[in-house]
């Protein structure tokens, strides 16, 4: 199997030095681009993106200037939840390619200086996984069932679920099995869809299996893992009912629940960290943990656990300067205490695209541009979701028959779910599918015709495009920001109401006007980059509403 060397440290000259162990800790300030594989690039025209498509388009991501890519699951899967229902953790689904395609993709990425992070899904398997098949066949009380969470039902005939937990996609979190003759028997737990049975992480075989899965992909040269539902694997052993008022929601970490953020999960990560550290190079682990507050999130990134956790509090802060400032301070402080970098994330495959979330004039485009400068200007690592560099909006009018997110059916067709942020990317040309797949192919979700104008090719030719803004911001981030002494910290500066203004060291400052009126800023040296329409004169400049600017602090 080809194993290409991981890229060397990508810090600019003058950037923070490598640690004493000669490590660059690349993940501390990396820009990491999320590839939702199914919607990125389709090489064979079957309508689904694939690994060959990823490989072919990697040079364009290198050109954009990101440091790493994170690929969502491409493993063998019935795709009941877009691949987060894994039937074989050690192979590629034929729709997405082969292991050889994977190896070739990693080699190309490394050759371009891009690191590769992949998803690992340890909370649940697919119901098509061999373990679940064996558990169903073996019957109650069998060792095969002990790898999952099977329980007898309540009520006279076991007709009621073991407790009142609800699936995050709607409906009960328990499904009752039936024997082939139709006789009902035990129930099994699935925090997500019924096709995603939860594993029992008190079982040693479950630990051993995932440790082996990590090694399998580390041996193939991956630079790290994004850990799906990292806060969910350990359950309160009593499986207690939850309060009536508690609303389990993927995006709502505000309620303490007996199946999220239990202390036992941290033991798992201590072991995983040892495994990652036992490999050459610097392999990084990032947690998807939707938990209560930044102090709780920081527990996942203590020095002997994971390297990073997504900052979902930042994602949820909205277009609200006071709230954004509060979250920035809270997360920097909480992470600082454990010595971990902070991540900044605006969008991913589970949430409404931020351009649409922020709204405002120009359908959110101005705010999205300003938010990019804010996010890429903050100290730490930034996660970009494919298409945000093109300023893509959420597609809110997908035809009902196209919807595939399990949320749609499980909510009784009241919630459309997450397909609107998963629409395939437009790459080039004036005809559907705009370079996503070969001419004439039909993508798994229809691409809006207006997206021809938002294609990468169209934007590459336009210096005022969102793509040009991201490309320049990523370049400056490496060169200027990293060469500004003291850049690791952040210092807020006085600013008019509705404006966030901070500096990082001597050579870099950022201001974002979230108010509805233009504001004047003093103490501005050279303007490095702006979201557009910024007028400057004599150390001062006028910042229009919903606009951001990067500058060298003036006298
Ligand atoms: C994570 C994924 C999401 C998936 C869920 C269940 O939250 O990001 O897409 O549906 O886990 O695996």
């Amino acid at each position: 199997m080809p194993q290409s060397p991981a890229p060397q440290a990508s810090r600019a000259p003058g950037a923070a030095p490598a640690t004493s162990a000669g490590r660059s800790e690349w993940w501390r300030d990396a820009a990491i681009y999320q590839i939702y594989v199914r919607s990125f690039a389709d090489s064979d025209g079957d309508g689904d993106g694939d690994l060959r498509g990823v490989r072919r388009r990697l040079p364009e991501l290198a050109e954009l200037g990101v440091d790493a890519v994170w690929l969502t699951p491409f493993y063998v899967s019935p795709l009941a939840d877009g691949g987060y229902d894994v039937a074989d953790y050690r192979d590629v689904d034929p729709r997405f390619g082969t292991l050889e395609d994977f190896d070739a993709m990693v080699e190309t990425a490394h050759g371009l200086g891009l690191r590769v992070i992949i998803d690992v899904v340890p909370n649940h398997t697919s119901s098509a996984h061999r373990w679940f098949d064996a558990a169903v066949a073996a019957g109650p009380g069998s060792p095969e069932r002990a790898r999952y969470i099977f329980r007898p039902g309540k009520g006279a005939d076991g007709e009621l679920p073991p407790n009142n937990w609800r699936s995050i996609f709607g409906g009960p979190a328990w499904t009752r099995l039936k024997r082939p003759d139709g006789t009902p028997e035990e129930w099994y737990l699935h925090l997500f869809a019924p096709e995603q049975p939860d594993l029992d992480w008190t079982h040693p075989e479950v630990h051993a299996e995932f440790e082996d899965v990590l090694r399998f992909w580390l041996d193939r040269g991956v630079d790290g893992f994004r850990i799906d539902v990292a806060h969910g694997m350990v359950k309160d052993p009593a499986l207690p009912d939850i309060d009536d008022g508690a609303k389990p929601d993927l995006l709502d970490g505000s309620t303490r629940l007996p199946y999220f953020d239990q202390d036992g999960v941290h033991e798992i990560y201590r072991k995983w960290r040892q495994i990652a550290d036992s490999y050459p190079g610097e392999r990084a682990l990032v947690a998807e943990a939707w938990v209560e507050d930044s102090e709780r999130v920081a527990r996942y990134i203590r020095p002997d656990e994971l390297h990073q956790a997504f900052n979902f509090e930042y994602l949820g802060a909205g277009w609200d300067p006071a709230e954004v400032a509060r979250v920035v301070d809270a997360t920097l402080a909480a992470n600082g205490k454990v010595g971990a970098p902070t991540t900044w994330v605006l969008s991913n495959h589970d949430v409404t695209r931020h351009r649409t979330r922020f709204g405002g004039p120009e359908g959110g485009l101005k705010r999205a541009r300003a938010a990019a400068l804010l996010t890429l200007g903050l100290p730490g690592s930034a996660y970009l979701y494919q298409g945000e560099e093109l300023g893509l909006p959420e597609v809110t009018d997908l035809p009902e028959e196209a919807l595939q997110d399990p949320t749609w059916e499980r909510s009784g067709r009241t919630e459309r779910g997450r397909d609107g942020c998963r629409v395939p990317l437009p790459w080039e040309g004036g005809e559907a599918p705009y370079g996503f797949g070969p001419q004439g192919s039909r993508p798994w979700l229809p691409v809006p015709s207006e997206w021809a104008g938002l294609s990468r090719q169209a934007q590459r030719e336009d210096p005022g495009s969102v793509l040009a803004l991201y490309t320049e911001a990523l370049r400056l981030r490496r060169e200027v920001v990293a060469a500004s002494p003291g850049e690791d910290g952040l210092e807020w500066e006085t600013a008019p109401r509705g404006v966030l203004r901070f500096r990082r060291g001597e050579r870099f400052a950022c201001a974002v006007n979230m108010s509805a009126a233009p504001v004047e800023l003093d103490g501005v040296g050279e303007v490095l980059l702006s979201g557009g329409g910024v007028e400057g004169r004599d150390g001062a400049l006028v910042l229009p509403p919903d606009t951001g600017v990067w500058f060298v602090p003036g006298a």
Side-chain angles (χ1 to χ4, degrees):
M1 128 196 20
Q3 234 232 60
S4 52
Q8 292 306 301
S10 56
R11 283 174 177 274
T19 59
S20 51
R23 301 186 147 222
S24 70
E25 301 195 328
W26 64 273
W27 35 272
R28 283 190 174 270
D29 60 1
I32 303 173
Y33 183 98
Q34 179 188 354
I35 294 181
Y36 190 78
V37 176
R38 198 177 182 194
S39 302
F40 187 71
D42 171 15
S43 72
D44 58 10
D46 67 355
D48 290 317
D50 47 46
L51 295 175
R52 285 182 180 220
V54 171
R55 182 180 180 212
R56 205 166 61 209
R57 296 294 189 177
L58 283 173
E60 283 153 283
L61 299 185
E63 194 178 292
L64 173 64
V66 296
D67 303 294
V69 291
W70 148 36
L71 270 67
T72 52
F74 45 77
Y75 313 109
V76 177
S77 168
L79 300 191
D81 180 24
Y84 283 96
D85 47 320
V86 180
D88 183 348
Y89 289 85
R90 295 179 187 76
D91 206 352
V92 176
D93 193 280
R95 270 172 287 214
F96 301 132
T98 62
L99 279 173
E100 289 66 40
D101 293 336
F102 179 82
D103 292 336
M105 185 275 301
V106 171
E107 199 179 353
T108 301
H110 285 171
L112 290 163
L114 296 170
R115 299 182 197 252
V116 180
I117 290 177
I118 61 172
D119 237 296
V120 60
V121 188
N123 180 67
H124 42 263
T125 68
S126 161
S127 53
H129 191 281
R130 64 187 161 81
W131 274 6
F132 195 72
D133 283 344
V136 171
S142 61
E144 287 83 355
R145 287 219 174 165
R147 296 176 185 133
Y148 293 91
I149 304 179
F150 282 89
R151 293 288 183 278
K154 286 186 175 162
D157 296 310
E159 74 281 9
L160 299 173
N163 67 23
N164 70 354
W165 297 0
R166 310 277 303 162
S167 152
I168 281 137
F169 297 144
W174 296 90
T175 290
R176 194 173 191 187
L177 285 183
K178 283 199 179 104
R179 292 204 199 102
D181 68 1
T183 323
E185 45 123 310
E186 286 190 315
W187 298 73
Y188 68 91
L189 177 71
H190 52 86
L191 293 181
F192 294 88
E195 296 87 351
Q196 294 166 294
D198 279 56
L199 287 162
D200 185 340
W201 274 84
T202 64
H203 198 303
E205 275 181 38
V206 173
H207 289 253
E209 170 69 0
F210 278 92
E211 288 166 16
D212 192 67
V213 166
L214 296 182
R215 291 182 194 282
F216 177 87
W217 294 102
L218 288 165
D219 286 340
R220 294 196 104 87
V222 301
D223 299 289
F225 296 95
R226 176 261 191 196
I227 299 155
D228 188 63
V229 199
H231 58 315
M233 284 118 89
V234 174
K235 277 82 182 173
D236 180 333
L239 304 182
D241 277 346
I242 54 171
D243 296 345
D244 279 353
K247 182 183 174 289
D249 182 326
L250 184 60
L251 311 186
D252 176 14
S254 60
T255 316
R256 292 302 295 282
L257 294 161
Y259 44 79
F260 280 158
D261 198 27
Q262 301 289 303
D263 288 345
V265 290
H266 298 285
E267 277 311 311
I268 302 170
Y269 300 134
R270 291 197 182 98
K271 186 70 208 287
W272 287 17
R273 176 62 177 258
Q274 286 171 12
I275 294 174
D277 284 351
S278 72
Y279 277 78
E282 295 182 84
R283 321 283 175 125
L285 305 168
V286 54
E288 187 220 19
W290 298 91
V291 302
E292 210 175 3
D293 62 32
S294 30
E295 299 275 343
R296 296 289 303 184
V297 179
R299 291 158 54 88
Y300 289 75
I301 45 179
R302 287 176 287 194
D304 59 346
E305 297 193 40
L306 309 175
H307 299 79
Q308 294 186 325
F310 293 116
N311 188 344
F312 293 129
E313 230 183 324
Y314 179 71
L315 186 153
W319 196 245
D320 173 342
E323 179 59 3
V324 172
R326 185 195 68 74
V327 171
V328 168
D329 283 341
T331 48
L332 286 174
N335 291 10
K337 278 191 213 155
V338 293
T342 295
T343 66
W344 310 104
V345 51
L346 290 167
S347 280
N348 63 34
H349 65 292
D350 290 327
V351 299
T352 303
R353 281 188 178 277
H354 60 266
R355 170 173 171 182
T356 304
R357 267 192 353 251
F358 291 149
E362 296 176 35
L365 190 58
K366 280 188 80 174
R367 290 181 180 177
R369 292 171 67 97
L373 291 191
L374 176 63
T375 303
L376 293 171
L378 287 166
S381 162
Y383 276 84
L384 309 178
Y385 177 49
Q386 67 176 37
E388 73 169 77
E389 79 282 19
L390 305 176
L392 296 185
E394 182 83 359
V395 179
T396 52
D397 59 354
L398 284 169
E400 289 185 358
E401 61 279 9
L403 298 179
Q404 299 206 13
D405 185 340
T407 307
W408 172 238
E409 290 299 339
R410 287 191 62 82
S411 68
R413 303 194 161 198
T414 56
E415 288 176 43
R416 294 174 70 86
R418 301 161 293 175
D419 292 317
C421 66
R422 300 174 176 181
V423 171
L425 290 190
W427 290 91
E428 65 220 356
E431 269 178 63
Y434 313 107
F436 167 69
Q439 221 23 258
S441 62
R442 261 189 79 196
W444 72 282
L445 289 173
V447 186
S449 53
E450 314 86 78
W451 283 18
L454 294 176
S455 78
R456 193 167 304 260
Q457 183 192 45
Q459 297 204 30
R460 202 187 272 126
E461 287 154 14
D462 173 6
S465 67
V466 182
L467 181 64
L469 183 75
Y470 269 80
T471 308
E472 185 59 6
L474 286 163
R475 187 186 70 76
L476 286 166
R477 187 181 147 92
R478 282 185 192 220
E479 290 175 14
V480 180
V481 183
S484 177
E487 50 91 15
D488 281 348
L490 171 152
E491 213 181 305
W492 292 110
E493 298 196 312
T494 320
R497 209 180 161 73
V499 177
L500 292 177
R501 174 174 177 163
F502 62 88
R503 64 188 282 166
R504 288 174 56 193
E506 293 160 24
R507 305 250 339 125
F508 179 78
C510 170
V512 177
N513 181 4
M514 292 185 165
S515 79
V519 292
E520 190 159 326
L521 300 182
D522 294 328
V524 175
E526 181 199 347
V527 170
L528 298 168
L529 182 61
S530 87
V534 171
E535 289 169 30
R537 58 172 168 76
D538 296 341
L541 60 77
V542 176
L543 194 58
D546 294 327
T547 304
V549 62
W550 285 3
F551 55 94
V552 179

